[in-house]
Amino acid sequence: RHKFWETQPVGQFKDLGDASLPEGPIEPPTPLTEVKHEPYNLPSPYEWTTCDLDSEDMCSEVYLLLTNNYVEDDENMFRFNYSKEFLRWALHPPGYYKSWHIGVRVKTSKKLVAFITGVPAKIRARDTVVVMAEINFLCVHKKLRSKRLAPVMIKEVTRRVHLENIWQAAYTAGVVLPTPVSTCQYWHRSLNPKKLIDVGFSRLGARMTMSRTIKLYKLPDQTVTPGFRKMEPHDVPAVTRLLRDYLKQFVVAPDFDENDVEHWLLPKEGVVDSYLVESPESHEITDFCSFYTLPSSILGNQNYSTLKAAYSYYNVSTKTPWIQLMNDALIVAKKKDFDVFNALDVMHNETFLKELKFGPGDGQLHYYLYNYRIKHVLRPSELGLVLL
Ligand code: MYA
Ligand code: JJ1
């Protein structure tokens, strides 16, 4: 059934019930001298290229490949439209390797036709912190699908990760592969219900009119929590402490240090937004919320071309109730003109989704680890990790 994945060190379907298999690496590291020093062979029309996202031209090529060929919903109505600024941010975290930003070109025309990336991350599984690669942006041009290019690209990124003496990876996908660590549900909170209905992202509910629907999703103009404000550079140490303490409770979660928090969570216009609650009395940082900007192209609509979506990222509540904290996040997202606020049912998100009028989407997101076994399938609420 999975001619490629059956050959890889990942949990296999046949082993799902087997409690005798230990947690941890599935195979040991091989000596670095035994890692292939030459790239894998591509079919002869194609060649490897390393993509330098700092180059405006290369960043545009990657942007256009993804804009036209990346992930769509099951009815092909929407396609993720990551911005160039977002791609630069996602691919340049502390300690990134340029060699892990891999493209495939047509030799004759030099056209970029496929892409895959890795970035390094420290991820904790139960009580073990493991240096891993986070693999993302796997994309093959629509005209070159089903030619088994993806397995070659995955083997090549694996080889380049191994060359840095890293032997594990984390990734997510909308498709079921051997075998998910957890399967999460997407939830959606309408901010601009009229547009969402007009473009087919959502439907008018039974016994609902447009004006009742607009009223249902109305939000205040101003946030309500005293001390709620945008995160600033001087907040990095306090936010790192708050987040590290929060993420401890999950079975799989990133192990963020201050450099990671500065990169991943300091607000970046049009890319990532972060807010916190500073106690007006003690000036303590007690709560935090964040979301990233990922628009989708609307395929074939006369009136609209882009859906502005905010995606829930990392959130922590210690003093402000979850519902109040995340309602303030919705208020600022609405003010910034997002059409919809999306979230997965990871971490404590279930405690606010229904109450804040999120509804389940038609998409799921499966989480995977490469060369690391977790003994049981995790509940989404046991996951403390959000990939972009
Ligand atoms: S998830 C986002 C993936 N991208 C898209 O969905 C964009 C639109 N689709 C495409 O561009 C293509 O359909 C892709 C497949 C490129 C996805 N993850 O070349 P093929 C397996 C892993 O003939 P194509 C993301 O970016 C499939 O089961 N494997 O197929 C995370 C089959 O294998 P098997 C996938 O459709 C990526 C084989 O590929 C995926 O032309 C994590 C068929 O190849 C998928 N999303 O191209 C990658 N989709 O026969 C793994 C299909 O065995 C990283 N396949 O079933 C692993 C860790 C590596 C680092 C390790 C370091 C230590
Ligand atoms: O966005 C998604 N679904 C939307 C649109 C559905 C359009 C028809 N297929 C959806 N809308 C309903 C919203 C409604 C609002 C009011 C309350 C009730 C709900 O369900 C889905 C997620 O649900 N997105 C996708 O399918 C995109 C792909 C998801 C897999 C992502 C793979 C990620 C790659 C990893 O790096």
Side-chain angles (χ1 to χ4, degrees):
R1 283 266 0 272
H2 290 286
K3 271 298 167 221
F4 169 65
W5 281 110
E6 281 168 9
T7 69
Q8 298 297 300
V10 294
Q12 299 294 332
F13 290 115
K14 65 171 171 51
D15 300 332
L16 268 178
D18 194 340
S20 72
L21 294 169
E23 286 211 336
I26 293 170
E27 63 179 34
T30 50
L32 275 179
T33 50
E34 284 171 35
V35 179
K36 238 166 75 74
H37 281 255
E38 292 299 319
Y40 282 89
N41 290 321
L42 280 167
S44 62
Y46 310 109
E47 64 186 21
W48 297 112
T49 180
T50 296
C51 295
D52 176 3
L53 279 290
D54 285 330
S55 143
E56 190 56 44
D57 287 354
M58 277 216 191
C59 194
S60 297
E61 281 184 279
V62 168
Y63 169 79
L64 285 176
L65 174 72
L66 296 179
T67 295
N68 294 317
N69 301 279
Y70 200 48
V71 176
E72 299 179 6
D73 67 296
D74 62 351
E75 290 167 285
N76 313 103
M77 297 172 69
F78 306 97
R79 191 187 304 126
F80 285 156
N81 185 205
Y82 289 91
S83 70
K84 293 188 210 180
E85 270 315 299
F86 190 110
L87 292 169
R88 287 205 184 93
W89 169 69
L91 296 177
H92 290 170
Y96 79 90
Y97 302 96
K98 203 176 86 177
S99 61
W100 293 7
H101 305 158
I102 307 172
V104 173
R105 293 187 190 281
V106 175
K107 279 181 187 160
T108 52
S109 63
K110 303 295 169 196
K111 184 184 158 78
L112 185 73
V113 292
F115 191 58
I116 189 168
T117 69
V119 295
K122 298 180 276 345
I123 294 179
R124 183 181 50 74
R126 300 205 203 271
D127 51 16
T128 312
V129 177
V130 183
V131 178
M132 297 197 192
E134 290 178 350
I135 307 298
N136 203 346
F137 305 114
L138 168 60
C139 182
V140 168
H141 192 286
K142 284 180 181 243
K143 295 201 166 151
L144 302 180
R145 298 275 170 89
S146 307
K147 295 176 180 294
R148 311 298 297 183
L149 275 177
V152 188
M153 299 175 69
I154 293 166
K155 284 189 274 185
E156 181 59 14
V157 75
T158 301
R159 188 185 70 82
R160 297 188 193 193
V161 170
H162 285 167
L163 285 173
E164 305 299 338
N165 200 19
I166 294 172
W167 305 89
Q168 273 74 34
Y171 50 104
T172 56
V175 294
V176 177
L177 302 166
T179 55
V181 165
S182 185
T183 293
C184 299
Q185 175 70 53
Y186 278 102
W187 290 71
H188 308 280
R189 205 304 182 172
S190 301
L191 302 175
N192 186 356
K194 172 149 187 345
K195 174 172 168 183
L196 295 182
I197 290 165
D198 286 350
V199 302
F201 186 91
S202 67
R203 292 186 192 165
L204 213 48
R207 286 164 262 102
M208 285 292 279
T209 61
M210 189 61 83
S211 49
R212 279 189 69 199
T213 304
I214 291 168
K215 187 171 159 207
L216 175 67
Y217 291 117
K218 234 178 173 37
L219 287 161
D221 288 320
Q222 298 296 336
T223 59
V224 306
T225 308
F228 187 93
R229 61 167 174 86
K230 206 169 161 152
M231 181 186 177
E232 295 173 24
H234 72 263
D235 297 316
V236 165
V239 167
T240 305
R241 276 183 262 124
L242 185 70
L243 191 58
R244 287 184 64 84
D245 192 53
Y246 177 67
L247 292 175
K248 274 181 186 147
Q249 64 191 297
F250 303 106
V251 177
V252 173
D255 182 62
F256 282 144
D257 63 22
E258 290 187 6
N259 290 323
D260 300 319
V261 167
E262 174 176 327
H263 180 82
W264 293 120
L265 294 169
L266 256 195
K268 229 180 197 38
E269 181 74 30
V271 174
V272 62
D273 284 280
S274 298
Y275 292 82
L276 50 74
V277 182
E278 175 178 355
S279 162
E281 297 85 34
S282 68
H283 299 282
E284 227 192 326
I285 307 302
T286 56
D287 312 276
F288 178 81
C289 61
S290 60
F291 52 85
Y292 60 85
T293 298
L294 169 50
S296 280
S297 304
I298 304 171
L299 308 176
N301 186 278
Q302 298 292 296
N303 301 310
Y304 297 102
S305 62
T306 303
L307 188 72
K308 287 199 69 186
Y311 285 75
S312 173
Y313 197 29
Y314 291 96
N315 310 304
V316 183
S317 137
T318 71
K319 292 269 157 57
T320 308
W322 276 109
I323 293 174
Q324 184 180 320
L325 178 69
M326 296 309 295
N327 199 54
D328 279 348
L330 294 176
I331 292 167
V332 297
K334 171 73 198 177
K335 253 195 148 154
K336 287 176 175 272
D337 201 38
F338 287 98
D339 299 315
V340 63
F341 191 101
N342 299 333
L344 294 163
D345 54 357
V346 297
M347 296 183 263
H348 287 109
N349 292 358
E350 294 240 88
T351 64
F352 62 78
L353 290 170
K354 283 182 178 160
E355 195 109 35
L356 292 178
K357 302 172 188 164
F358 286 72
D362 60 6
Q364 291 191 327
L365 189 65
H366 309 279
Y367 278 71
Y368 302 95
L369 295 176
Y370 182 94
N371 193 25
Y372 203 93
R373 188 184 295 104
I374 296 283
K375 247 171 151 29
H376 307 279
V377 179
L378 302 183
R379 291 182 289 271
S381 60
E382 294 177 301
L383 269 183
L385 178 65
V386 178
L387 300 182
L388 304 170

